[in-house]
Short mmCIF file of all heavy atoms in Angstrom, two decimals:
data_model
loop_
_atom_site.label_atom_id
_atom_site.label_comp_id
_atom_site.label_asym_id
_atom_site.label_seq_id
_atom_site.Cartn_x
_atom_site.Cartn_y
_atom_site.Cartn_z
N MET A 29 -22.28 -16.67 -163.32
CA MET A 29 -22.22 -16.88 -161.86
C MET A 29 -21.43 -18.14 -161.56
O MET A 29 -21.13 -18.92 -162.47
CB MET A 29 -23.63 -16.95 -161.25
CG MET A 29 -24.47 -18.10 -161.75
SD MET A 29 -26.12 -18.08 -161.03
CE MET A 29 -26.84 -16.65 -161.81
N ASP A 30 -21.11 -18.33 -160.29
CA ASP A 30 -20.24 -19.44 -159.88
C ASP A 30 -21.05 -20.73 -159.79
O ASP A 30 -21.47 -21.16 -158.71
CB ASP A 30 -19.60 -19.09 -158.53
CG ASP A 30 -18.62 -20.16 -158.10
OD1 ASP A 30 -18.23 -21.00 -158.93
OD2 ASP A 30 -18.26 -20.17 -156.90
N THR A 31 -21.30 -21.33 -160.94
CA THR A 31 -22.00 -22.62 -160.98
C THR A 31 -21.49 -23.38 -162.19
O THR A 31 -20.60 -22.91 -162.90
CB THR A 31 -23.54 -22.41 -161.03
OG1 THR A 31 -24.17 -23.67 -160.85
CG2 THR A 31 -24.00 -21.79 -162.34
N SER A 32 -22.03 -24.58 -162.42
CA SER A 32 -21.57 -25.38 -163.56
C SER A 32 -22.71 -26.26 -164.06
O SER A 32 -23.62 -26.61 -163.29
CB SER A 32 -20.39 -26.27 -163.15
OG SER A 32 -20.83 -27.21 -162.19
N TRP A 35 -22.87 -29.36 -161.86
CA TRP A 35 -23.56 -29.22 -160.56
C TRP A 35 -25.07 -29.15 -160.76
O TRP A 35 -25.82 -29.84 -160.06
CB TRP A 35 -23.08 -27.96 -159.81
CG TRP A 35 -23.55 -27.92 -158.37
CD1 TRP A 35 -22.86 -28.34 -157.28
CD2 TRP A 35 -24.84 -27.48 -157.89
NE1 TRP A 35 -23.62 -28.19 -156.15
CE2 TRP A 35 -24.85 -27.67 -156.48
CE3 TRP A 35 -25.99 -26.96 -158.49
CZ2 TRP A 35 -25.94 -27.35 -155.67
CZ3 TRP A 35 -27.09 -26.65 -157.68
CH2 TRP A 35 -27.06 -26.83 -156.30
N ILE A 36 -25.51 -28.34 -161.71
CA ILE A 36 -26.96 -28.13 -161.87
C ILE A 36 -27.63 -29.45 -162.26
O ILE A 36 -28.66 -29.82 -161.71
CB ILE A 36 -27.25 -27.03 -162.91
CG1 ILE A 36 -26.61 -25.71 -162.48
CG2 ILE A 36 -28.76 -26.86 -163.09
CD1 ILE A 36 -26.62 -24.62 -163.56
N ARG A 39 -27.42 -32.02 -159.15
CA ARG A 39 -28.20 -31.69 -157.96
C ARG A 39 -29.68 -31.44 -158.25
O ARG A 39 -30.50 -31.47 -157.34
CB ARG A 39 -27.62 -30.46 -157.23
CG ARG A 39 -26.18 -30.61 -156.77
CD ARG A 39 -25.98 -31.85 -155.91
NE ARG A 39 -26.67 -31.79 -154.62
CZ ARG A 39 -26.85 -32.85 -153.83
NH1 ARG A 39 -26.39 -34.04 -154.17
NH2 ARG A 39 -27.48 -32.71 -152.68
N THR A 40 -30.01 -31.11 -159.53
CA THR A 40 -31.42 -30.77 -159.82
C THR A 40 -32.02 -31.54 -161.00
O THR A 40 -33.23 -31.67 -161.10
CB THR A 40 -31.58 -29.27 -160.14
OG1 THR A 40 -31.01 -28.99 -161.43
CG2 THR A 40 -30.93 -28.38 -159.10
N ILE A 42 -31.85 -30.30 -163.99
CA ILE A 42 -32.26 -29.27 -164.96
C ILE A 42 -31.14 -29.04 -165.99
O ILE A 42 -29.96 -28.94 -165.63
CB ILE A 42 -32.61 -27.95 -164.22
CG1 ILE A 42 -33.82 -28.18 -163.31
CG2 ILE A 42 -32.87 -26.81 -165.22
CD1 ILE A 42 -34.06 -27.06 -162.31
N VAL A 119 -48.39 -20.51 -155.08
CA VAL A 119 -47.04 -20.73 -155.60
C VAL A 119 -47.01 -22.05 -156.39
O VAL A 119 -47.84 -22.23 -157.28
CB VAL A 119 -45.98 -20.62 -154.47
CG1 VAL A 119 -44.60 -20.36 -155.07
CG2 VAL A 119 -46.32 -19.45 -153.53
N CYS A 120 -46.12 -22.95 -156.05
CA CYS A 120 -45.95 -24.15 -156.90
C CYS A 120 -47.11 -25.14 -156.79
O CYS A 120 -47.24 -26.04 -157.61
CB CYS A 120 -44.64 -24.84 -156.57
SG CYS A 120 -43.22 -23.77 -156.82
N SER A 121 -47.95 -25.00 -155.75
CA SER A 121 -49.12 -25.87 -155.63
C SER A 121 -50.33 -25.28 -156.33
O SER A 121 -51.42 -25.86 -156.29
CB SER A 121 -49.52 -26.06 -154.16
OG SER A 121 -48.43 -26.45 -153.39
N ASP A 158 -27.99 -14.77 -157.35
CA ASP A 158 -28.22 -15.84 -156.36
C ASP A 158 -28.27 -17.19 -157.08
O ASP A 158 -29.27 -17.57 -157.65
CB ASP A 158 -29.54 -15.57 -155.61
CG ASP A 158 -29.88 -16.67 -154.63
OD1 ASP A 158 -29.07 -17.62 -154.46
OD2 ASP A 158 -30.98 -16.60 -154.04
N ARG A 159 -27.15 -17.91 -157.00
CA ARG A 159 -27.08 -19.17 -157.75
C ARG A 159 -28.03 -20.23 -157.20
O ARG A 159 -28.35 -21.20 -157.89
CB ARG A 159 -25.64 -19.70 -157.75
CG ARG A 159 -25.13 -20.10 -156.38
CD ARG A 159 -23.71 -20.61 -156.46
NE ARG A 159 -23.23 -21.06 -155.15
CZ ARG A 159 -22.07 -21.63 -154.93
NH1 ARG A 159 -21.24 -21.81 -155.96
NH2 ARG A 159 -21.70 -22.02 -153.73
N SER A 160 -28.47 -20.07 -155.94
CA SER A 160 -29.34 -21.10 -155.38
C SER A 160 -30.76 -21.04 -155.93
O SER A 160 -31.51 -22.00 -155.83
CB SER A 160 -29.35 -21.01 -153.85
OG SER A 160 -30.07 -19.88 -153.44
N THR A 161 -31.16 -19.90 -156.51
CA THR A 161 -32.49 -19.83 -157.14
C THR A 161 -32.41 -19.64 -158.66
O THR A 161 -33.24 -20.17 -159.39
CB THR A 161 -33.34 -18.68 -156.55
OG1 THR A 161 -32.59 -17.47 -156.63
CG2 THR A 161 -33.73 -18.95 -155.11
N ALA A 162 -31.38 -18.90 -159.12
CA ALA A 162 -31.32 -18.56 -160.55
C ALA A 162 -31.20 -19.79 -161.45
O ALA A 162 -31.68 -19.78 -162.58
CB ALA A 162 -30.14 -17.61 -160.82
N VAL A 163 -30.57 -20.86 -160.93
CA VAL A 163 -30.40 -22.04 -161.78
C VAL A 163 -31.67 -22.88 -161.86
O VAL A 163 -31.79 -23.75 -162.73
CB VAL A 163 -29.22 -22.92 -161.30
CG1 VAL A 163 -27.92 -22.11 -161.23
CG2 VAL A 163 -29.49 -23.59 -159.96
N ILE A 164 -32.60 -22.64 -160.96
CA ILE A 164 -33.74 -23.55 -160.81
C ILE A 164 -34.97 -23.10 -161.61
O ILE A 164 -35.62 -23.90 -162.27
CB ILE A 164 -34.12 -23.67 -159.32
CG1 ILE A 164 -32.96 -24.34 -158.57
CG2 ILE A 164 -35.41 -24.44 -159.12
CD1 ILE A 164 -33.10 -24.28 -157.08
N PHE A 165 -35.28 -21.79 -161.52
CA PHE A 165 -36.59 -21.36 -162.00
C PHE A 165 -36.61 -20.97 -163.48
O PHE A 165 -35.62 -20.47 -164.02
CB PHE A 165 -37.12 -20.21 -161.14
CG PHE A 165 -37.56 -20.68 -159.79
CD1 PHE A 165 -36.67 -20.73 -158.74
CD2 PHE A 165 -38.85 -21.15 -159.59
CE1 PHE A 165 -37.04 -21.21 -157.49
CE2 PHE A 165 -39.25 -21.63 -158.36
CZ PHE A 165 -38.34 -21.66 -157.30
N ILE A 200 -40.46 -20.12 -148.48
CA ILE A 200 -40.50 -19.71 -149.89
C ILE A 200 -41.24 -18.38 -149.91
O ILE A 200 -42.43 -18.35 -149.59
CB ILE A 200 -41.27 -20.74 -150.75
CG1 ILE A 200 -40.59 -22.11 -150.71
CG2 ILE A 200 -41.42 -20.25 -152.19
CD1 ILE A 200 -41.43 -23.23 -151.32
N PHE A 209 -37.08 -12.96 -154.75
CA PHE A 209 -37.59 -14.26 -154.31
C PHE A 209 -36.53 -14.95 -153.44
O PHE A 209 -35.34 -14.94 -153.78
CB PHE A 209 -37.89 -15.10 -155.55
CG PHE A 209 -38.32 -16.51 -155.26
CD1 PHE A 209 -39.64 -16.80 -155.02
CD2 PHE A 209 -37.39 -17.54 -155.27
CE1 PHE A 209 -40.04 -18.11 -154.77
CE2 PHE A 209 -37.77 -18.84 -155.02
CZ PHE A 209 -39.10 -19.13 -154.77
N MET A 211 -35.71 -18.68 -151.13
CA MET A 211 -36.14 -20.06 -150.81
C MET A 211 -35.10 -20.73 -149.92
O MET A 211 -33.91 -20.67 -150.21
CB MET A 211 -36.33 -20.87 -152.10
CG MET A 211 -36.75 -22.31 -151.85
SD MET A 211 -37.21 -23.17 -153.36
CE MET A 211 -35.61 -23.37 -154.14
N GLN A 212 -35.57 -21.39 -148.86
CA GLN A 212 -34.67 -22.19 -148.01
C GLN A 212 -34.67 -23.62 -148.57
O GLN A 212 -35.45 -24.48 -148.15
CB GLN A 212 -35.15 -22.15 -146.56
CG GLN A 212 -35.10 -20.74 -145.96
CD GLN A 212 -35.67 -20.67 -144.55
OE1 GLN A 212 -35.62 -21.64 -143.80
NE2 GLN A 212 -36.22 -19.52 -144.20
N GLY A 213 -33.81 -23.81 -149.58
CA GLY A 213 -33.87 -25.01 -150.42
C GLY A 213 -33.84 -26.33 -149.69
O GLY A 213 -34.65 -27.21 -149.96
N LYS A 214 -32.93 -26.48 -148.73
CA LYS A 214 -32.77 -27.78 -148.07
C LYS A 214 -34.03 -28.17 -147.29
O LYS A 214 -34.50 -29.31 -147.37
CB LYS A 214 -31.58 -27.73 -147.12
CG LYS A 214 -30.35 -28.35 -147.72
CD LYS A 214 -29.38 -28.77 -146.64
CE LYS A 214 -28.17 -29.49 -147.18
NZ LYS A 214 -28.20 -29.94 -148.54
N GLU A 215 -34.56 -27.20 -146.51
CA GLU A 215 -35.75 -27.49 -145.70
C GLU A 215 -36.96 -27.73 -146.62
O GLU A 215 -37.79 -28.61 -146.36
CB GLU A 215 -36.02 -26.33 -144.73
CG GLU A 215 -37.23 -26.50 -143.83
CD GLU A 215 -37.16 -27.74 -142.94
OE1 GLU A 215 -36.05 -28.24 -142.67
OE2 GLU A 215 -38.25 -28.22 -142.52
N VAL A 216 -37.05 -26.95 -147.70
CA VAL A 216 -38.15 -27.15 -148.65
C VAL A 216 -38.07 -28.55 -149.26
O VAL A 216 -39.09 -29.24 -149.41
CB VAL A 216 -38.11 -26.07 -149.77
CG1 VAL A 216 -39.09 -26.40 -150.88
CG2 VAL A 216 -38.43 -24.70 -149.18
N PHE A 217 -36.87 -28.98 -149.58
CA PHE A 217 -36.68 -30.31 -150.16
C PHE A 217 -37.29 -31.37 -149.24
O PHE A 217 -38.10 -32.21 -149.66
CB PHE A 217 -35.17 -30.55 -150.35
CG PHE A 217 -34.82 -31.77 -151.14
CD1 PHE A 217 -34.28 -31.66 -152.41
CD2 PHE A 217 -35.02 -33.04 -150.63
CE1 PHE A 217 -33.95 -32.79 -153.16
CE2 PHE A 217 -34.70 -34.18 -151.36
CZ PHE A 217 -34.16 -34.06 -152.61
N THR A 218 -36.93 -31.32 -147.97
CA THR A 218 -37.39 -32.33 -147.01
C THR A 218 -38.91 -32.29 -146.86
O THR A 218 -39.59 -33.33 -146.92
CB THR A 218 -36.75 -32.06 -145.62
OG1 THR A 218 -35.35 -31.95 -145.82
CG2 THR A 218 -37.06 -33.15 -144.64
N ALA A 220 -41.09 -31.00 -148.93
CA ALA A 220 -41.76 -31.32 -150.20
C ALA A 220 -41.90 -32.83 -150.36
O ALA A 220 -42.97 -33.33 -150.74
CB ALA A 220 -40.98 -30.72 -151.37
N VAL A 221 -40.84 -33.56 -150.06
CA VAL A 221 -40.91 -35.02 -150.20
C VAL A 221 -41.98 -35.58 -149.28
O VAL A 221 -42.83 -36.37 -149.71
CB VAL A 221 -39.53 -35.66 -149.88
CG1 VAL A 221 -39.66 -37.17 -149.72
CG2 VAL A 221 -38.53 -35.32 -150.98
N MET A 224 -45.70 -34.24 -150.27
CA MET A 224 -46.22 -34.81 -151.53
C MET A 224 -46.48 -36.30 -151.38
O MET A 224 -47.49 -36.81 -151.87
CB MET A 224 -45.26 -34.52 -152.70
CG MET A 224 -45.30 -33.07 -153.12
SD MET A 224 -44.61 -32.78 -154.77
CE MET A 224 -42.88 -32.75 -154.39
N HIS A 248 -44.80 -32.00 -159.07
CA HIS A 248 -44.25 -30.67 -159.32
C HIS A 248 -42.77 -30.78 -159.68
O HIS A 248 -41.99 -31.42 -158.97
CB HIS A 248 -44.44 -29.79 -158.09
CG HIS A 248 -43.69 -28.50 -158.18
ND1 HIS A 248 -43.80 -27.67 -159.27
CD2 HIS A 248 -42.80 -27.92 -157.35
CE1 HIS A 248 -43.00 -26.63 -159.09
NE2 HIS A 248 -42.39 -26.76 -157.94
N GLN A 249 -42.39 -30.15 -160.79
CA GLN A 249 -41.05 -30.32 -161.35
C GLN A 249 -40.06 -29.37 -160.70
O GLN A 249 -39.66 -28.36 -161.28
CB GLN A 249 -41.11 -30.08 -162.87
CG GLN A 249 -42.14 -30.95 -163.58
CD GLN A 249 -41.64 -32.36 -163.82
OE1 GLN A 249 -40.60 -32.55 -164.44
NE2 GLN A 249 -42.36 -33.35 -163.32
N ALA A 250 -39.67 -29.69 -159.45
CA ALA A 250 -38.75 -28.82 -158.72
C ALA A 250 -37.33 -29.34 -158.79
O ALA A 250 -36.38 -28.57 -158.86
CB ALA A 250 -39.18 -28.69 -157.26
N ASN A 251 -37.20 -30.67 -158.72
CA ASN A 251 -35.87 -31.26 -158.61
C ASN A 251 -36.02 -32.75 -158.92
O ASN A 251 -36.88 -33.41 -158.34
CB ASN A 251 -35.35 -31.04 -157.17
CG ASN A 251 -33.92 -31.48 -157.00
OD1 ASN A 251 -33.53 -32.56 -157.45
ND2 ASN A 251 -33.13 -30.66 -156.34
N LEU A 252 -35.19 -33.27 -159.80
CA LEU A 252 -35.29 -34.69 -160.19
C LEU A 252 -35.14 -35.60 -158.97
O LEU A 252 -35.81 -36.63 -158.88
CB LEU A 252 -34.20 -35.01 -161.21
CG LEU A 252 -34.23 -36.41 -161.83
CD1 LEU A 252 -35.56 -36.69 -162.52
CD2 LEU A 252 -33.07 -36.59 -162.80
N ARG A 253 -34.30 -35.18 -158.01
CA ARG A 253 -34.13 -36.01 -156.81
C ARG A 253 -35.41 -36.05 -156.00
O ARG A 253 -35.72 -37.06 -155.36
CB ARG A 253 -32.96 -35.49 -155.97
CG ARG A 253 -31.59 -35.67 -156.65
CD ARG A 253 -30.47 -35.18 -155.75
NE ARG A 253 -30.48 -33.75 -155.56
CZ ARG A 253 -30.37 -33.12 -154.39
NH1 ARG A 253 -30.22 -33.81 -153.27
NH2 ARG A 253 -30.40 -31.81 -154.32
N ILE A 254 -36.21 -34.96 -156.01
CA ILE A 254 -37.49 -34.97 -155.29
C ILE A 254 -38.47 -35.91 -156.00
O ILE A 254 -39.14 -36.72 -155.36
CB ILE A 254 -38.09 -33.55 -155.20
CG1 ILE A 254 -37.19 -32.65 -154.34
CG2 ILE A 254 -39.51 -33.60 -154.63
CD1 ILE A 254 -37.70 -31.22 -154.18
N ASN A 278 -37.97 -25.30 -162.98
CA ASN A 278 -39.14 -25.21 -162.11
C ASN A 278 -39.99 -24.02 -162.57
O ASN A 278 -39.58 -22.87 -162.40
CB ASN A 278 -38.66 -25.04 -160.67
CG ASN A 278 -39.79 -24.91 -159.67
OD1 ASN A 278 -40.93 -24.64 -160.04
ND2 ASN A 278 -39.48 -25.08 -158.40
N THR A 279 -41.14 -24.30 -163.15
CA THR A 279 -42.01 -23.23 -163.66
C THR A 279 -43.17 -22.93 -162.71
O THR A 279 -44.21 -22.41 -163.12
CB THR A 279 -42.55 -23.56 -165.07
OG1 THR A 279 -43.24 -24.81 -165.01
CG2 THR A 279 -41.42 -23.64 -166.09
N SER A 280 -43.00 -23.30 -161.44
CA SER A 280 -43.97 -22.99 -160.39
C SER A 280 -45.37 -23.50 -160.76
O SER A 280 -45.52 -24.68 -161.06
CB SER A 280 -43.95 -21.49 -160.09
OG SER A 280 -44.69 -21.22 -158.93
N PHE A 308 -45.98 -29.32 -154.06
CA PHE A 308 -45.68 -28.65 -152.79
C PHE A 308 -45.15 -27.27 -153.13
O PHE A 308 -44.37 -27.13 -154.08
CB PHE A 308 -44.61 -29.43 -152.01
CG PHE A 308 -44.21 -28.75 -150.72
CD1 PHE A 308 -44.92 -28.99 -149.55
CD2 PHE A 308 -43.13 -27.87 -150.67
CE1 PHE A 308 -44.55 -28.37 -148.36
CE2 PHE A 308 -42.77 -27.24 -149.48
CZ PHE A 308 -43.48 -27.49 -148.32
N GLY A 309 -45.57 -26.25 -152.39
CA GLY A 309 -45.08 -24.92 -152.71
C GLY A 309 -45.20 -23.96 -151.55
O GLY A 309 -45.54 -24.33 -150.42
N GLY A 310 -44.92 -22.70 -151.85
CA GLY A 310 -44.95 -21.65 -150.84
C GLY A 310 -46.29 -21.56 -150.15
O GLY A 310 -47.34 -21.90 -150.70
O1 LIG B 401 -40.84 -24.94 -156.09
C1 LIG B 401 -41.15 -25.10 -154.72
C2 LIG B 401 -40.49 -26.29 -154.23
N1 LIG B 401 -39.05 -26.10 -154.33
C3 LIG B 401 -38.29 -27.13 -154.13
O2 LIG B 401 -38.79 -28.20 -153.94
C4 LIG B 401 -36.77 -26.92 -154.07
C5 LIG B 401 -36.19 -27.91 -153.10
N2 LIG B 401 -34.77 -27.76 -152.90
C6 LIG B 401 -33.84 -28.15 -153.83
O3 LIG B 401 -34.18 -28.57 -154.90
C7 LIG B 401 -32.39 -28.10 -153.43
O4 LIG B 401 -32.28 -27.84 -152.05
C8 LIG B 401 -31.57 -27.05 -154.22
C9 LIG B 401 -31.42 -27.50 -155.66
C10 LIG B 401 -32.23 -25.69 -154.14
C11 LIG B 401 -30.16 -26.94 -153.63
O5 LIG B 401 -29.54 -28.21 -153.68
P1 LIG B 401 -28.83 -28.79 -152.38
O6 LIG B 401 -28.23 -30.05 -152.78
O7 LIG B 401 -29.83 -28.78 -151.27
O8 LIG B 401 -27.68 -27.74 -152.17
P2 LIG B 401 -27.34 -26.90 -150.88
O9 LIG B 401 -28.18 -25.67 -150.82
O10 LIG B 401 -27.26 -27.77 -149.66
O11 LIG B 401 -25.85 -26.52 -151.22
C12 LIG B 401 -24.81 -27.50 -151.30
C13 LIG B 401 -23.56 -26.82 -151.80
C14 LIG B 401 -23.26 -25.54 -151.04
O12 LIG B 401 -21.85 -25.39 -150.97
P3 LIG B 401 -21.06 -25.77 -149.62
O13 LIG B 401 -21.66 -24.87 -148.58
O14 LIG B 401 -21.34 -27.21 -149.39
O15 LIG B 401 -19.63 -25.44 -149.97
C15 LIG B 401 -23.82 -24.47 -151.94
O16 LIG B 401 -23.16 -23.23 -151.76
O17 LIG B 401 -23.75 -26.44 -153.16
C16 LIG B 401 -23.52 -25.04 -153.29
N3 LIG B 401 -24.43 -24.54 -154.33
C17 LIG B 401 -24.08 -24.49 -155.62
N4 LIG B 401 -22.95 -24.85 -156.25
C18 LIG B 401 -22.90 -24.67 -157.58
C19 LIG B 401 -25.69 -24.08 -154.20
N5 LIG B 401 -26.19 -23.72 -155.39
C20 LIG B 401 -25.19 -23.96 -156.29
C21 LIG B 401 -25.08 -23.80 -157.67
N6 LIG B 401 -23.94 -24.18 -158.27
N7 LIG B 401 -26.10 -23.32 -158.42
#
Side-chain angles (χ1 to χ4, degrees):
M29 62 182 70
D30 183 15
T31 189
S32 65
W35 191 95
I36 301 169
R39 301 306 293 167
T40 71
I42 296 167
V119 200
C120 301
S121 309
D158 177 5
R159 65 180 183 175
S160 72
T161 53
V163 303
I164 295 170
F165 287 89
I200 299 170
F209 176 86
M211 179 171 72
Q212 297 176 29
K214 260 202 176 346
E215 180 59 23
V216 170
F217 190 110
T218 308
V221 167
M224 287 198 279
H248 169 52
Q249 305 281 303
N251 186 315
L252 186 58
R253 292 182 293 132
I254 295 180
N278 179 343
T279 56
S280 191
F308 177 87

